[in-house]
Amino acid sequence: MLCEMCGKDVPSLAQVRVEGSVLRLCADCSRFGKVITPPAIPVSPNPGGSPPAGRTAVALVPRPRRLEERDLYRELPELELAPDWGKRIRVAREKLGWTPEDLGHRLNEKKSVVLKMESGSFHPPDPMVGKIERLLKIRLRAEAEPKA
Ligand SMILES: [Zn+2]
């Protein structure tokens, strides 16, 4: 599912009220507003009554374990980059025909920063990782998602 604010692809999104409108956001972005419906909260059973209208479909969706719910709200989710993330950036950039300078412009960074990332000597901060992934349409994070 794609976060409506940053576009990150995450296992679950929270419904968050941001300046009057309700958006579906990842854990990072939900900090910018008031969480209405946190992701992965089990629907409580409704003993004795018929299920409230509109709830039926929701109840059929398998729910993640509680542990993951807490993980989503960690202060700073640490991104685990793939071992060859620098190479992935370079290969994807070259495929697009971009120079390190081109990519730098799009990231508001210097060409030298791009080259350092591609050589693996500069570890991009989390927001930049997301930006690079969207620009180059690649994944830099390790393939193994903690979702089973
Ligand atoms: Zn987001």
Side-chain angles (χ1 to χ4, degrees):
M1 296 207 270
L2 298 179
C3 169
E4 290 180 5
M5 189 174 282
C6 70
K8 197 159 75 177
D9 195 2
V10 293
S12 57
L13 296 169
Q15 280 205 323
V16 181
R17 184 176 290 279
V18 183
E19 290 173 352
S21 48
V22 176
L23 301 173
R24 288 158 62 77
L25 303 180
C26 71
D28 286 352
C29 298
S30 55
R31 281 186 298 224
F32 296 116
K34 186 177 189 313
V35 176
I36 301 166
T37 313
I41 294 274
V43 175
S44 50
N46 185 23
S50 54
R55 276 253 166 130
T56 327
V58 179
L60 295 174
V61 179
R63 257 169 295 283
R65 288 164 290 132
R66 274 206 158 269
L67 186 69
E68 287 171 340
E69 179 189 323
R70 203 168 46 199
D71 284 351
L72 281 171
Y73 286 104
R74 274 185 311 185
E75 268 294 295
L76 279 174
E78 212 172 283
L79 297 182
E80 205 182 310
L81 295 184
D84 61 341
W85 58 272
K87 191 177 144 208
R88 289 188 197 195
I89 294 175
R90 182 174 55 79
V91 169
R93 174 180 62 71
E94 286 174 350
K95 224 187 260 178
L96 288 168
W98 294 357
T99 63
E101 220 160 358
D102 289 334
L103 179 56
H105 275 306
R106 286 168 169 86
L107 293 170
N108 286 321
E109 294 293 344
K110 293 197 194 84
K111 169 188 161 187
S112 60
V113 172
V114 173
L115 291 174
K116 271 186 207 164
M117 286 193 294
E118 292 184 356
S119 69
S121 62
F122 172 69
H123 191 299
D126 289 359
M128 201 191 290
V129 170
K131 224 164 155 187
I132 293 168
E133 286 183 329
R134 283 198 300 282
L135 277 170
L136 299 179
K137 300 184 173 56
I138 52 171
R139 303 289 291 175
L140 296 179
R141 289 157 241 201
E143 298 301 336
E145 296 273 3
K147 191 110 170 85

